[in-house]
Amino acid sequence: MSARMFVSGEIVRLAELLLEIFPAATVHRYQEPEAPASGQFTVSFKQETRRNETRSYTAIERQFEIITYAETAETAVLWMEAVSRYVMNERPRAVSGEPVWNERVESISLNAPIKLESGLRACSAVLTVRSREPIVFEQQEKMEKVEMRTTIRLKGGMN
């Protein structure tokens, strides 16, 4: 897996993960549907924070929002809880067989379901992942030849 994972790649992998858990679901990426239906999910990017970790690495923390739509609040919570357990306890792998993230899943926070105008219930969760990205350095020319000279001083002042 590439040392650098772009947000778009992580959104795709999250969508794949949701389809592993709920094969009949419809997953929307980046934005909520205008008229959501029960059994649909939305995966969107929420926030990214980058910090200097060492001289060689940058620490990255990303947050993604997952929303599910269901007929009842109980169903919405149950579906989101299934996602939470799968992500935190089962170390999911994408369809390609690679881990979903090359970083560590830090947490997933579920929110109480809300009632939409259509009567559906929407339950959301915020997934926080952390990774490290190597800092790119300018390529330096390698030394071709190294010489070393030593001087030995003997007691009595003679060289």
Side-chain angles (χ1 to χ4, degrees):
M1 177 176 288
S2 168
R4 294 184 188 182
M5 178 57 83
F6 293 98
V7 170
S8 60
E10 290 182 356
I11 294 270
V12 167
R13 289 177 186 256
L14 268 171
E16 288 178 352
L17 177 143
L18 290 169
L19 290 171
E20 274 184 38
I21 303 167
F22 304 101
T26 300
V27 180
H28 302 274
R29 296 184 295 190
Y30 293 102
Q31 58 190 14
E32 296 179 50
E34 286 185 30
S38 184
Q40 292 185 342
F41 288 84
T42 300
V43 178
S44 59
F45 174 69
K46 191 169 174 77
Q47 182 180 18
E48 176 181 275
T49 303
R50 289 177 178 258
R51 288 185 287 283
N52 286 328
E53 184 176 63
T54 66
R55 292 176 65 187
S56 302
Y57 285 93
T58 299
I60 304 165
E61 181 180 287
R62 289 184 177 152
Q63 292 183 342
F64 298 91
E65 184 174 44
I66 303 169
I67 302 171
T68 187
Y69 308 96
E71 295 292 333
T72 67
E74 181 181 11
T75 302
V77 170
L78 287 171
W79 288 349
M80 199 54 73
E81 186 178 24
V83 172
S84 175
R85 287 181 188 278
Y86 190 74
V87 167
M88 296 303 294
N89 300 342
E90 297 186 30
R91 299 207 166 255
R93 299 197 168 275
V95 174
S96 63
E98 294 179 350
V100 173
W101 298 280
N102 61 337
E103 56 269 305
R104 185 176 84 199
V105 176
E106 186 69 24
S107 66
I108 184 166
S109 302
L110 278 60
N111 297 304
I114 59 170
K115 187 174 183 178
L116 304 177
E117 288 181 16
S118 65
L120 286 178
R121 306 298 171 136
C123 186
S124 66
V126 175
L127 178 72
T128 302
V129 294
R130 290 192 178 171
S131 65
R132 295 171 67 209
E133 188 173 281
I135 295 173
V136 178
F137 291 100
E138 185 177 323
Q139 194 73 358
Q140 300 293 322
E141 194 173 314
K142 292 182 180 180
M143 291 188 268
E144 291 182 23
K145 185 176 180 183
V146 177
E147 290 183 22
M148 189 166 90
R149 293 185 188 186
T150 59
T151 303
I152 301 175
R153 295 192 181 265
L154 301 175
K155 281 188 170 180
M158 300 180 70
N159 288 346

